[in-house]
Structures are given as C-alpha cells and as structure tokens.
C-alpha cells in the first residue's frame, strides 16, 4: 500500500516509499507529541534517508569548514589568536566526529560517508567553497558563519531525532565560544586602523552572498523543507532562519559603521520581515553542484588526507591473528 494513505492527497507525493500506514500514523503522533525518536525505534524509510543526508552533509561541512581556518593557524596575528583558532579548528573536527557518529546510528557507515564526500556525491555547506584570502575573512567566518550556524543548530537541537539533537546541543555550546572569538576579532578589525577597517569591509562584501545562501534556497525553491518540518527534523524554514539571522546580526554590523553590499536590505517595520535583493541563487546552485571557486581544492585536500592517513586506519584495525615475535 502507498505510504501515508491517511494523508491529504497533496501530501502523498512526499512519501514515495510504501510504508505501513498504521506505523506511520503512530510515528507521526509521537512526533506531534514532541517525543524523541531513538535509533532502535521504527521510523519511515524516508525519515531515515533524509536524516542521513542532512546529518552527513553537516558532518562534512565541519571537516571541510576546518580547512580554510586551518591554513590561518600559523598566520593568525599574535599568540592569543593562534591559540584560539587552533582550538576552534580542533572543535570543528570534534563536531564532525559527533555528527558522523549520529549518522551511523541510522545505518550508513563512516567509510561510506567519507567515500561519498571525496567522490563528490555528498554535499557540504556552500560557504566553504570560497577562499579565506585575508585575516578579515577568518573574522567574518568566525563571527557571521558561526552565528548563522548557531541560529540553525539551536533550532534543530529541539528536533525529533535524539542522537542528532544531543550532538547539536553539545556543538552549540562550543559554537557559542567560537562566536565570541569571531566577534572579538571582527570588532578589533572594525575599530582598528583605517586599513584594517577597509580590509574587513572588503571581506564582508565578499562573504555576504555566500552567507545569505547558507540557510538554503528560498522556501519556494526548497525541496526538502516541507517534510523535514513536518517530521521536526528542521524546526524552521530556510527563510525563517535567514530572517532570524538578519534580525540578530545586521544591526550588530551596522552599529560598527560597516555596510552590507545590498542596497535593498531593510527591515519591513510592519511585518518584521527583512527584505533583500536577489542574492544570486544561480551562483548558489553552481557552487553546490561543485563549480565554486574552491570545490576542487577542498576535495583534493580531503582525498590526500584519506590516502596519506590510510596506514593509520590499517594499523588501528583490530586483527584476529595471534602475534608471534619473528624469529631472529
Ligand atoms: N550548502 O531542500 P533544501 C559550520 C542543498 S558547519 C550546500 O532547502 P534542506 C562551521 C540541499 O542539500 C554547519 N547545499 O535543503 C564549520 C538540497 O540538495 P540535495 C553547516 C545546500 O536540507 C566549520 C538542495 O540544496 N550547517 O557552521 O531542507 C567552521 C535544496 O535545499 C545548502 C549544516 O549543515 C547549503 N547552504 O535545507 C565554521 C546544517 N542549502 O541534498 C562553521 C544542517 C541547501 O537534495 N543542514 N543545500 O542534493 C540544514 O539545516 C539543512 O540541510 C539546510 C538546507 C538548511 C542547509
């Protein structure tokens, strides 16, 4: 029988896989009640598939996201900032570990996930396909991309899948420190010299479009939002998350007398909704298809790391044979 037989006709097309309608109804009742779903519980195949896709993309974003920042550890201005960025990079890799572990509870192995990343089959966040040319880029990433991630993750930490929510809670705790260090570096540049301000302004101009893209396409163009929100995997739509971010952070940018490269950006005082010009969705779709400025470089680094680290994995793999000291 077609999954979701009890659903209104316009929703059935979102459930292409045959599911037992009674089990599906019981599952959706639990979701509506706010219960957490745990790995051993029954879940619709599509719920499992969507969670794997989203958690896996998130995990990949953490390890790929560490790459642009990683190249700045040795170049960060001063010992304090070097220590902070080094700790942040280490945290991001830890976040990837937590997320891969959460995705593994759904049945996909870590090896399969890494293979899909390095073969270009899985996506990761658009923002990490742009270069970090100056220290100001790192300040923009640390302040605004971490802020955007916190908006997304604090919402989704209240979602339905237990292992993902618990991983997100811990990640958000650490991201709050990342945001503080990013904001501190950002304010230092904004209130520093004329040169540091203009370098920061240039970085902000470069990053604005990718940051607007970070929350995904507009609600009208989003493919997965409707079912992910119905199943409480996503707790707000892409446009709602983007709006929350603009509401919280545009004033903090403007109060530093910095500008944003969108003349149409303003808050509609009647609706409370932020209005903005077209952030160039063509560029977004090109980047997530693999044609951004750094996609090839990022995947090449990951492939290199996999190849060069293979001996470590081999050495750690449990062996069954009994070790015998070789005869002299
Ligand atoms: N980038 O139907 P839609 C971090 C894809 S790391 C790339 O709206 P959905 C950090 C989407 O996958 C934090 N692709 O999708 C790390 C779909 O394609 P497929 C990263 C994107 O899933 C280190 C298509 O577009 N955060 O902060 O409902 C250092 C249609 O989109 C993007 C997460 O990963 C994108 N931005 O909603 C510093 C959060 N947006 O898969 C910082 C977890 C959309 O059908 N993910 N696409 O081929 C999410 O919350 C959701 O997946 C999204 C998109 C809101 C991003």
């Amino acid at each position: 029988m077609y999954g979701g037989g009890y659903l209104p006709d316009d929703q059935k097309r979102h459930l292409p896989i045959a599911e037992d309608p009674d089990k599906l109804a019981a599952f959706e009742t639990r979701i509506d009640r706010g219960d957490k779903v745990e790995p051993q519980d029954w879940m619709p195949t599509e719920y499992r598939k969507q969670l794997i896709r989203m958690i896996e993309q998130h995990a990949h974003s953490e390890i790929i996201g560490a790459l642009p920042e990683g190249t700045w550890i040795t170049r960060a201005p001063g010992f304090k900032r070097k220590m902070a960025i080094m700790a942040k990079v280490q945290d991001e890799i830890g976040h990837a570990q937590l997320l891969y572990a959460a995705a593994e509870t759904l049945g996909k192995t870590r090896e399969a996930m890494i293979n899909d990343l390095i073969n270009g089959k899985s996506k990761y966040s658009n923002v990490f396909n742009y270069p970090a040319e100056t220290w100001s880029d790192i300040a923009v990433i640390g302040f605004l991309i971490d802020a955007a991630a916190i908006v997304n993750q604090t919402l989704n930490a209240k979602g339905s899948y237990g292992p993902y929510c618990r991983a997100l809670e811990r990640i958000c705790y650490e991201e709050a420190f990342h945001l503080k260090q990013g904001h501190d570096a950002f304010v230092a540049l904004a209130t520093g010299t004329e040169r540091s301000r203009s370098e920061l302004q240039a970085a902000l101009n470069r990053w604005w479009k990718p940051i607007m893209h970070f929350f995904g396409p507009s609600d009208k163009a989003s493919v997965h939002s409707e079912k992910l929100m119905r199943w409480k995997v996503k707790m707000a739509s892409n446009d709602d998350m983007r709006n929350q971010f603009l509401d919280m952070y545009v004033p903090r940018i403007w109060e530093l007398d910095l500008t944003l490269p969108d003349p149409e950006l303003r808050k509609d005082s009647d609706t409370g909704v932020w209005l903005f010009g077209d952030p160039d969705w063509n560029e977004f779709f090109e980047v997530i298809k693999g044609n951004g400025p750094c996609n090839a470089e990022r995947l090449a680094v990951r492939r290199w790391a996999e190849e060069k680290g293979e001996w470590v994995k081999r050495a750690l793999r449990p062996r069954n044979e009994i070790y015998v000291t070789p005869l002299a």
Side-chain angles (χ1 to χ4, degrees), residues 153-175:
Q153 290 162 189
T154 39
L155 285 163
N156 292 344
K158 298 188 187 74
S160 62
Y161 190 58
Y164 187 39
C165 297
R166 290 189 285 274
L168 288 180
E169 262 175 42
R170 183 149 163 214
I171 291 171
C172 286
Y173 183 69
E174 291 181 354
E175 296 285 17

Side-chain angles (χ1 to χ4, degrees), residues 286-305:
E286 277 305 307
V287 169
I288 69 169
K289 257 198 298 184
N291 303 325
C294 295
N295 298 60
E297 181 190 324
R298 300 283 185 247
L299 290 190
V301 173
R302 281 313 312 164
R303 255 182 237 120
W304 179 89

Side-chain angles (χ1 to χ4, degrees), residues 50 53-54 57-58 61-62 65-66 69 88 92 123-128 141 145-146 149 152-153 156 164 175 213-217 221-225 228 234 238 241 284-285 288:
Q50 284 287 340
R53 178 190 66 83
M54 202 169 119
Q57 284 178 10
H58 191 166
S61 304
E62 300 281 355
E69 290 183 318
K88 181 174 192 285
E92 308 298 3
K123 292 191 168 65
Y124 56 87
S125 185
N126 68 299
V127 284
F128 302 118
I141 294 174
I145 293 185
D146 280 87
N152 170 295
Q153 290 162 189
N156 292 344
Y164 187 39
E175 296 285 17
H213 297 159
F214 179 86
F215 297 96
S222 171
V223 184
H224 307 291
S225 282
L228 288 181
K234 264 168 90 166
N238 299 357
M241 286 189 282
F284 168 76
F285 286 111
I288 69 169

Side-chain angles (χ1 to χ4, degrees), residues 81 135-144 179-192 196-197 200-201 203-204 211 249 252-254 256 258-260:
R81 299 227 185 266
W135 173 248
S136 293
D137 295 63
I138 297 302
V140 172
I141 294 174
F143 177 30
L144 296 174
L179 175 64
K180 278 189 203 303
Q181 72 83 35
H183 184 245
D184 186 67
F186 192 92
V187 172
L189 293 166
T191 55
S196 73
R197 272 186 71 78
L200 181 66
Q201 182 62 66
L204 196 51
I211 289 172
Y249 292 97
R252 294 179 73 179
I253 297 168
W254 282 344
L256 290 165
L258 293 161
T259 59
L260 288 166

